[in-house]
Amino acid sequence: MSDLYDAIIIGCGVTGAWTAYELSRYRLKIAIVEKENDIGCGTTKANSAIVHAGYDPEPGTLKASFNVRGNELIRGRAKRMAIPFNQCGSYVIAFDTEGMNSIIQLYNRGIQNGVPDMKLLTAEEVHKAEPNLSDDVCGALLAGSAGIISPFELCCAPTEVAVRYGADLLRNFEVVSMVPDEEKVTVTAKDGRVISGKRIINAAGLYADDMAKMLGDTSFKITPKRGEYSILDSNVYGIVDHVIFQPPTKAGKGILVSPTVDGNILVGPTSDPIDFKDDLATTDDGQKRAFDGARKSVPSISERDVITSFSGNRSVGDQGGDFICSISSSEPKLINLAGIESPGLTSAPAIAEYAAGLLRQSGIEMVKRESFDDTRTVVRFKELDDFNKHEIIQNNPSYGRIICRCETITEGEIIDAIRRPAGALDMDGVKRRVRAGMGRCQGGFCGPRVMEILSRELGIPMTQVTKFGKRSYMVIGREEL
Amino acid sequence: MINVDVAIVGGGPAGLAAAIECRNSGCENILILERDKILGGILNQCIHAGFGLSFYKEELTGPEFAQRQINELKGTGIKVMTDTMVLSVSQEKVITACSVEGLVEIQAKAIILAMGCRERTRGMLRISGTRPSGIYTAGTAQRLVNVEGYMPGKEVVILGSGDIGLIMARRMTLEGAHVQGVYEIMPKSNGLKRNIVQCLDDFGIPLHLNTTAIEIHGKERVIGVTVARVNQNLQPIEGTEEFIPCDTVLLSVGLIPENELSLGCGIVMDPKTRGPKDYGAFATSVPGIFACGNAHHVYDLVDNVAKDAIKVGRTASEFVRGEVSE
């Protein structure tokens, strides 16, 4: 690959994806390199899935402005880009005077940050709206602009738009070296692929410090902090209608209880330092703390309703708690977008706008395309009314074949998820895009059928179908025994 | 809109037995809705023998048992729609179903729910550790091996000693895999005695009682499981942890009635069986809707499923004829 890219984005998580999207407004040659078999496999896929209002960050920080701006951008774009989003609002609840003081502080901070639609609620108002909250709740801060989102779709949608505009998405591209010269940086992958670009945009999440180091920038360090979550069965959906936060502490925003856009309830996260960036194990102790914390807000929450648990690792920077978004002081061809911890998901579209500015500032000529269309249509069979269900099956019978029984996902949707730009290449990729296997049976029934569809669509034998790339194979042939 | 006397959701052993009895007791307009391409349900993947001893008075394999029932359908005029998934059942007894032909609505006088059951999963057990590939429920593994012709892996640990787990211990061994052992948290197996003898003892596969998995290891593919003995409160005993290397973990930790449709219809559920609450003779809280087989409660033996389903078929017929009001 001898072609010179204008920019190489390292990491196709939510930050890299939105940056690629933003740069697609311009006539630029872009590559996004991703070390995994799919996009959004790091912090993007495992977090609280919340579009924060923006009252948490210190006024004047990048976090504060990106959060509020990101919230506004997501609210404006979600529908057009077919990103499941529900502006359900959030509560920060208080249990005592100290808590009340802290939510009043948050309210004032929100005003400074320009957060719209906030209101302080009395105990009576809170209990009327959320009857399952603890009797100890004595007031709350309501933020009407907060919502819940599908984090993976928030990454998938902008990636698709970028790929539609010609960005190259290179998967399983684990960067092992970067060598700068006068005009470019040469990037080499573990498997030997080599590409070069005029600028490097470092959106490598947990590994952003390792990437910067390859170009001699040791100005920051990323420390992983693990958060454990559990997903509860859809039969407890409705136990709360808003995102329920506890007053923030030094450790973070505390344990939350939240509905999800998929109709489940999310409980978590814990906040624990860990030694390895890829340590995504769940623990008995962590799960217990998550549930004990959640029960403080909603006493009837029970482990009995868990359908699955997971961990996500936050990319915590060391620059006074703010995002690190700047042209590197040691390598002018490097733009760092690092330390993207909470509210990183919400901020991503705004970080991307800022990144485009940094790219221009770094000396890249940026010419806008005449038009830019980011609309996206995704068929979600379950959400269609009966008339449209019938219609779509008439046009394409594969929508009449239900593969995932728990979530009512059709073969048509799975084929589409594989064939779309930046489509699914593995079981988890299908699961994240269409939810097949995410329901109660966790893929028990549909697993073998999804494997068959992947095998057929990708033209690979069943033995090469993986859960998430690399050596995560699903089955072996009889001849291998 | 299709009008029928009795609609049966699910063409496995329960649905088939119920349908045939509906016909025998005088109903004429009967429809079976089956989501798979063929009738027989889960029996199709149960290729081992041991079925039918009390119902047919001879030992049959799962597919043989199913074929007997399918043969009994012939000439009865019972209508069958395969490859058809029921999306919803209403209290007015209107079924909405979906197939490659499109959506279809069916108005029934009585409905028999016979959707079977599903397996409990790793998520529900909340076993700590990583999320690699190679973790299957025993039933999924059974389908892969017996229907699809693929092996889940070579070096196997089985968690839980339910019957499907025991049967898969033998099956995997016969196919050339090595089964490290079956680990059961309780002081005794909840599988049938004959399965413990024929599937484990005969093959020298150890059954470790009072033992559970506390952690799953492996980043991409499973590399092992840490097991530990448990005390009377089922809590792991410190110091008894043991790492068992394996590339495959099969879970056989219980079944739950398939209840999506029952819940969607607003049928009152029984928290104990996790199927519809029984208002007498397999009636649900909705008049004219009955439940049978594993969708009603989880059975040990298919013979008993079929026997009870006959009762349900009879009651549904009586309901259609107006002999039973509620």
Side-chain angles (χ1 to χ4, degrees):
Chain A
M1 282 176 243
S2 58
D3 293 346
L4 182 65
Y5 290 104
D6 292 305
I8 296 172
I9 300 167
I10 303 180
C12 198
V14 77
T15 309
W18 279 101
T19 302
Y21 163 97
E22 205 55 44
L23 297 184
S24 301
R25 296 180 190 277
Y26 305 90
R27 300 189 176 283
L28 295 171
K29 190 168 161 54
I30 297 161
I32 323 164
V33 302
E34 169 53 54
K35 78 179 169 70
E36 303 295 334
N37 200 40
D38 203 355
I39 63 173
C41 280
T43 308
T44 296
K45 78 162 157 56
N47 54 69
S48 306
I50 287 161
V51 176
H52 292 282
Y55 48 72
D56 281 297
E58 284 286 337
T61 58
L62 292 177
K63 272 189 180 174
S65 67
F66 292 167
N67 184 339
V68 176
R69 173 72 178 151
N71 176 296
E72 185 189 326
L73 290 173
I74 290 171
R75 280 185 287 134
R77 290 173 186 169
K79 195 169 178 206
R80 188 172 72 230
M81 295 177 72
I83 304 167
F85 170 65
N86 174 4
Q87 193 182 332
C88 59
S90 69
Y91 282 9
V92 186
I93 52 175
F95 298 100
D96 49 27
T97 326
E98 201 190 323
M100 285 305 288
N101 287 336
S102 100
I103 62 172
I104 291 165
Q105 217 174 5
L106 289 177
Y107 178 84
N108 291 330
R109 217 189 268 177
I111 297 291
Q112 276 183 277
N113 290 347
V115 176
D117 303 331
M118 287 187 302
K119 202 182 161 205
L120 288 163
L121 304 180
T122 63
E124 201 187 339
E125 288 171 315
V126 176
H127 287 116
K128 200 173 165 214
E130 290 288 1
N132 294 317
L133 289 186
S134 158
D135 292 341
D136 298 336
V137 174
C138 58
L141 167 64
L142 163 68
S145 63
I148 51 177
I149 197 151
S150 158
F152 185 78
E153 285 294 310
L154 187 66
C155 178
C156 200
T159 307
E160 242 185 74
V161 172
V163 170
R164 260 167 25 199
Y165 278 103
D168 288 329
L169 172 65
L170 307 175
R171 309 192 208 201
N172 297 303
F173 193 109
E174 186 176 343
V175 176
V176 289
S177 89
M178 286 193 273
V179 181
D181 61 25
E182 290 284 288
E183 50 141 10
K184 64 180 192 302
V185 178
T186 301
V187 182
T188 307
K190 198 174 181 180
D191 63 6
R193 279 177 285 174
V194 178
I195 57 174
S196 44
K198 293 180 194 162
R199 296 292 178 271
I200 300 296
I201 299 178
N202 178 8
L206 287 159
Y207 303 90
D209 53 348
D210 302 328
M211 293 300 119
K213 209 153 95 196
M214 288 182 196
L215 285 168
D217 181 348
T218 53
S219 63
F220 64 92
K221 189 169 160 36
I222 302 296
T223 313
K225 206 177 235 185
R226 186 167 66 195
E228 293 193 34
Y229 296 88
S230 275
I231 302 267
L232 308 190
D233 194 288
S234 54
N235 64 26
V236 289
Y237 186 73
I239 197 166
V240 293
D241 292 330
H242 300 79
V243 181
I244 308 295
F245 293 106
Q246 292 167 1
T249 62
K250 272 189 190 143
K253 294 189 178 100
I255 305 291
L256 62 86
V257 178
S258 171
T260 72
V261 286
D262 301 314
N264 299 95
I265 291 289
L266 180 74
V267 169
T270 51
S271 179
D272 299 311
I274 41 164
D275 295 333
F276 301 99
K277 289 175 176 178
D278 60 351
D279 180 355
L280 286 169
T282 49
T283 63
D284 281 351
D285 173 57
Q287 292 292 318
K288 186 175 179 301
R289 279 182 285 125
F291 274 92
D292 288 347
R295 273 190 284 267
K296 212 180 148 204
S297 304
V298 186
S300 58
I301 289 273
S302 164
E303 285 93 336
R304 273 194 52 161
D305 296 307
V306 170
I307 55 170
T308 191
S309 309
F310 63 90
S311 281
N313 291 340
R314 307 168 180 84
S315 317
V316 182
D318 59 353
Q319 308 292 301
D322 205 0
F323 295 148
I324 303 158
C325 299
S326 56
I327 299 171
S328 166
S329 50
S330 42
E331 172 50 67
K333 286 190 273 301
L334 172 66
I335 293 166
N336 289 313
L337 306 175
I340 313 297
E341 54 177 322
S342 180
L345 195 72
T346 315
S347 302
I351 294 172
E353 287 181 339
Y354 191 74
L358 291 173
L359 187 65
R360 177 181 285 124
Q361 199 187 315
S362 79
I364 297 291
E365 194 193 344
M366 311 229 324
V367 181
K368 271 212 163 163
R369 293 178 195 278
E370 275 135 41
S371 65
F372 180 73
D373 180 10
D374 62 3
T375 49
R376 180 172 172 258
T377 35
V378 178
V379 172
R380 296 190 174 101
F381 183 80
K382 196 182 182 176
E383 291 166 18
L384 300 177
D385 59 27
D386 285 358
F387 176 81
N388 283 307
K389 277 182 179 144
H390 190 72
E391 274 301 280
I392 197 165
I393 298 169
Q394 298 298 310
N395 290 329
N396 182 348
S398 69
Y399 284 100
R401 231 172 264 131
I402 308 284
I403 303 293
C404 169
R405 302 164 180 182
C406 304
E407 298 289 327
T408 321
I409 308 296
T410 63
E411 183 172 22
E413 289 163 275
I414 295 173
I415 292 172
D416 179 53
I418 298 167
R419 292 186 185 169
R420 295 182 80 85
L425 298 177
D426 52 39
M427 299 292 286
D428 281 357
V430 168
K431 178 162 103 174
R432 288 191 199 109
R433 282 167 181 81
V434 304
R435 288 185 56 72
M438 259 197 198
R440 291 177 183 144
C441 88
Q442 290 285 301
F445 286 117
C446 64
R449 298 191 65 188
V450 174
M451 286 162 64
E452 279 168 33
I453 298 171
L454 274 165
S455 158
R456 188 181 73 214
E457 286 291 316
L458 300 174
I460 54 172
M462 287 275 275
T463 49
Q464 279 175 29
V465 173
T466 63
K467 187 165 184 282
F468 48 84
K470 295 177 190 163
R471 273 193 44 79
S472 65
Y473 61 91
M474 298 296 294
V475 293
I476 58 176
R478 284 200 154 92
E479 67 284 358
E480 288 175 62
L481 283 158
Chain B
M1 182 85 82
I2 301 172
N3 284 288
V4 299
D5 288 341
V6 185
I8 294 137
V9 184
L16 292 175
I20 292 159
E21 181 56 29
C22 281
R23 182 71 195 87
N24 289 344
S25 50
C27 269
E28 297 212 329
N29 194 356
I30 302 162
L31 172 65
I32 301 172
L33 295 150
E34 168 55 44
R35 54 192 165 194
D36 213 330
K37 288 186 173 63
I38 50 170
L39 292 171
I42 214 72
L43 286 175
N44 289 312
Q45 69 182 51
C46 301
I47 63 172
H48 52 282
F51 300 96
L53 287 167
S54 71
F55 193 72
Y56 286 117
K57 307 282 179 248
E58 61 180 295
E59 191 173 28
L60 303 172
T61 65
E64 283 172 337
F65 191 105
Q67 195 56 48
R68 291 265 174 128
Q69 292 188 300
I70 293 165
N71 291 345
E72 287 170 34
L73 281 184
K74 284 180 188 148
T76 60
I78 295 171
K79 292 188 282 288
V80 176
M81 289 168 76
T82 52
D83 234 341
T84 302
M85 172 88 181
V86 173
L87 299 179
S88 69
V89 173
S90 78
Q91 303 224 343
E92 292 71 40
K93 296 189 280 289
V94 175
I95 292 173
T96 306
C98 166
S99 74
V100 290
E101 314 272 310
L103 244 53
V104 59
E105 284 199 329
I106 297 141
Q107 172 72 63
K109 290 179 185 154
I111 293 174
I112 298 175
L113 302 173
M115 295 85 71
C117 60
R118 62 188 147 85
E119 298 177 276
R120 293 183 72 214
T121 65
R122 181 221 171 145
M124 293 175 189
L125 298 180
R126 305 196 301 124
I127 307 167
S128 295
T130 53
R131 268 139 197 78
S133 69
I135 304 167
Y136 287 104
T137 56
T140 305
Q142 188 178 47
R143 180 180 171 92
L144 285 169
V145 177
N146 293 348
V147 181
E148 316 279 337
Y150 292 96
M151 286 293 282
K154 296 179 190 179
E155 201 60 46
V156 186
V157 159
I158 297 177
L159 300 182
S161 59
D163 287 307
I164 319 172
L166 301 175
I167 283 158
M168 283 312 291
R170 173 175 66 185
R171 191 77 192 102
M172 295 291 282
T173 306
L174 289 172
E175 286 296 331
H178 177 242
V179 178
Q180 292 269 7
V182 175
Y183 299 85
E184 169 60 56
I185 191 167
M186 303 305 284
K188 70 187 265 289
S189 165
N190 53 3
L192 297 170
K193 176 82 182 143
R194 69 170 195 227
N195 282 334
I196 292 176
V197 174
Q198 293 170 11
C199 299
L200 300 187
D201 297 353
D202 289 359
F203 292 86
I205 299 168
L207 171 61
H208 304 274
L209 299 171
N210 301 304
T211 309
T212 192
I214 55 170
E215 192 172 356
I216 288 176
H217 305 270
K219 283 202 173 115
E220 293 165 16
R221 180 76 189 192
V222 177
I223 58 166
V225 177
T226 300
V227 297
R229 293 185 60 79
V230 296
N231 61 23
Q232 283 162 329
N233 302 322
L234 307 182
Q235 294 304 308
I237 302 167
E238 241 184 275
T240 65
E241 298 88 355
E242 190 187 349
F243 177 81
I244 314 290
C246 64
D247 62 19
T248 303
V249 177
L250 300 188
L251 302 174
S252 179
V253 288
L255 303 165
I256 302 170
E258 183 81 84
N259 50 25
E260 307 285 310
L261 292 173
S262 316
L263 285 168
C265 180
I267 287 171
V268 176
M269 305 300 281
D270 183 336
K272 216 169 152 199
T273 63
R274 300 186 75 167
K277 190 167 178 222
D278 196 325
Y279 285 75
F282 300 90
T284 69
S285 60
V286 179
I289 301 187
F290 305 86
C292 69
N294 285 340
H296 179 271
H297 72 274
V298 173
Y299 285 76
D300 284 336
L301 292 170
V302 72
D303 295 70
N304 296 338
V305 165
K307 277 181 209 161
D308 280 351
I310 287 176
K311 295 180 201 158
V312 181
R314 205 169 298 149
T315 319
S317 298
E318 285 164 7
F319 181 88
V320 169
R321 289 199 302 268
E323 289 163 21
V324 185
S325 54
E326 295 271 306

